[in-house]
Structures are given as C-alpha cells and as structure tokens.
Amino acid sequence: MARIQACWRLWRVLVHVLAGAWRIRWVFPRLQQPERDAQVQAWAREMLARLAIKLIVIGQPPAVGPVLLVANHISWLDIVVMHAARHCRFISKASVQHWPIVGTLANGAGTLYIERESRRDAMRVVHHMAERLAAGDVLAVFPEGTTGDGTTVRPFHANMLQAAIAAQAPVQPVGLHFCDGTTGQHSFAPCYIGDDSLLDSLWRTLKTDGLQAVVSFGTVQLPEGRDRRSWAADLHQAVVDLRADR
C-alpha cells in the first residue's frame, strides 16, 4: 500500500512539474513580475501538497525587499519550501539553467546563476546581487555552500554577504527543518547528501507520511559596520538558534 501511495504521489508531482514548465514557457511572457512571483509561490505550495508535506512558517517573512535571506541547506526541497513560504530569487550554480525542465523552472523563478569555480564570475554575481537588492528584490542564498543532514549547520561562506554590504541592504536569517508531524522528531527523508541521488531523496520523501517542513524567519539584521566574515558568523549563530528553538 505504501508503495502504491508513493507511486501515486510521484505521478502527481511529475504532472505538476510539467505543467509548471509549460506555464513558464507560454503564460509567463504575458505576466508582470509580481504576477509571476505569486504564481511561483502558488506552484511551490501545490508541490508540497502533492508531496504530502505540511508547510509551517514561524516568524515574519519579509513583506517587501530589499532583503537577502540566508538559510541552512538540507535538500533539493529547500528551494521549493522557501518559495512556498515567501517568493525569492535564489543564487544557483550555472549548470542548473541547462538541466531539462528543472532549468526552465529555475529560470521562471528568477534564479541568478554563478560559475562557482570562477572568482571573476563570483564578483560579477555579487555586483548583480547588489544591483537587484538596490532595486528592491528579495534574494536568497545557502551560505553553507552544500547540503547537510539537517542536524547541524556548517560554517557560512561570507562572499555573497558583500552584496548586502555594498547595497546597505538588510539580511534575514532563515532556519529550515524537516520533521515528523506526529513525534516532532527530525526527519532524514528529504536529505540530499553523500551518495544520495535526487531519485533516492525523492523516493524517500514520497514514502514518508506526516512530513512537515518548518521555515523559521529570524530578526532582520543590518551591516552595522561589520565586515562580511564577522557578519557571516553572526548570521550562522542566528540560524543555529532558530533551529534550536525547534
């Protein structure tokens, strides 16, 4: 029975992904940006529903930009969860834009891309981020630079914070947590680490009942004279504290 239920959920997810890609290709060109943002958030919420994941939002998401969201990183699901809680523009590795279907979805969500191996490209992206923050966007990054199992938060890389310093934009820490809705215990089902493949992580998630995705928004911070490294350390502690409250 569990396998049949997981297969049914998988079918519904695939249909939703294809429908989203179709909408981005044929409908988005006729929409204004606020309408696109709202549709991305609605799509993300429906995706969680099809995965049988309950979204819980704690704290106050930003009503408007400019703001840079910094969050811990656990799974491929993190992007969907954060879009569902509050639409934002992510910073992602450049190869994602060339992935079939996924690249279409990422482009439609307004993702900014970076060649991680290129120092010059990182500087370009920081400059572009500062421009978008100055224009009032809500951006999001995962400063750990990779996924973890969700039990700890790795040290934050500070590079992307330079954009917030240059734009004098606020930064808001965000704590992500997946748990069992009945017991409240941490769930490893959505993890995407080590030898995990995307299909492994997706299948575990599809088979898991009662999964909750908790998004905790912390207190907005301003640079207040801090350099990017000291600010990164303070934001890291804020995210750790947000997750400890769970």
Side-chain angles (χ1 to χ4, degrees):
M1 180 64 70
R3 185 179 181 86
I4 293 174
Q5 180 174 265
C7 288
W8 171 241
R9 288 174 181 169
L10 176 59
W11 170 251
R12 297 184 70 230
V13 164
L14 292 175
V15 169
H16 191 54
V17 168
L18 292 173
W22 181 90
R23 193 164 190 81
I24 288 168
R25 174 66 177 84
W26 298 105
V27 178
F28 270 34
R30 302 196 299 269
L31 301 179
Q32 299 298 315
Q33 193 60 51
E35 296 173 305
R36 295 181 184 183
D37 295 348
Q39 292 209 7
V40 169
Q41 184 174 20
W43 181 91
R45 292 195 169 196
E46 177 62 21
M47 175 61 83
L48 293 182
R50 293 184 180 222
L51 288 164
I53 297 174
K54 181 179 180 180
L55 175 67
I56 297 177
V57 179
I58 299 172
Q60 187 60 52
V64 295
V67 64
L68 176 63
L69 304 177
V70 296
N72 60 300
H73 201 9
I74 303 170
S75 169
W76 56 274
L77 259 177
D78 297 344
I79 292 175
V80 177
V81 169
M82 288 186 66
H83 273 317
R86 206 294 181 196
H87 176 268
C88 48
R89 299 184 69 182
F90 280 93
I91 315 303
S92 178
K93 59 183 181 181
S95 60
V96 170
Q97 63 186 314
H98 303 299
W99 293 0
I101 302 178
V102 173
T104 300
L105 296 173
N107 291 337
T111 302
L112 303 177
Y113 298 104
I114 179 174
E115 294 282 357
R116 288 182 177 171
E117 297 79 12
S118 170
R119 188 180 189 90
R120 178 175 296 180
D121 196 61
M123 294 174 62
R124 176 192 63 81
V125 171
V126 167
H127 180 69
H128 192 188
M129 287 174 62
E131 289 181 336
R132 296 318 311 163
L133 288 170
D137 281 3
V138 178
L139 305 183
V141 295
F142 298 118
E144 290 172 285
T146 187
T147 52
D149 66 6
T151 60
T152 59
V153 181
R154 297 169 185 264
F156 281 1
H157 297 288
N159 293 354
M160 297 303 169
L161 288 177
Q162 189 60 44
I165 293 174
Q168 285 297 292
V171 176
Q172 186 168 16
V174 181
L176 301 179
H177 177 63
F178 293 97
C179 65
D180 182 287
T182 302
T183 66
Q185 295 297 309
H186 175 75
S187 175
F188 293 95
C191 289
Y192 185 33
I193 57 174
D195 295 329
D196 279 339
S197 69
L198 179 59
L199 289 178
D200 290 335
S201 177
L202 174 59
W203 188 245
R204 285 197 308 268
T205 303
L206 291 167
K207 292 192 300 180
T208 303
D209 289 326
L211 190 60
Q212 293 184 347
V214 183
V215 188
S216 300
F217 288 90
T219 302
V220 173
Q221 298 185 19
L222 291 169
E224 296 178 339
R226 287 173 287 192
D227 62 30
R228 65 191 187 191
R229 288 181 176 80
S230 61
W231 200 7
D234 291 344
L235 289 164
H236 177 273
Q237 186 59 52
V239 171
V240 169
D241 292 343
L242 285 170
R243 298 181 71 260
D245 290 342
R246 297 299 306 159

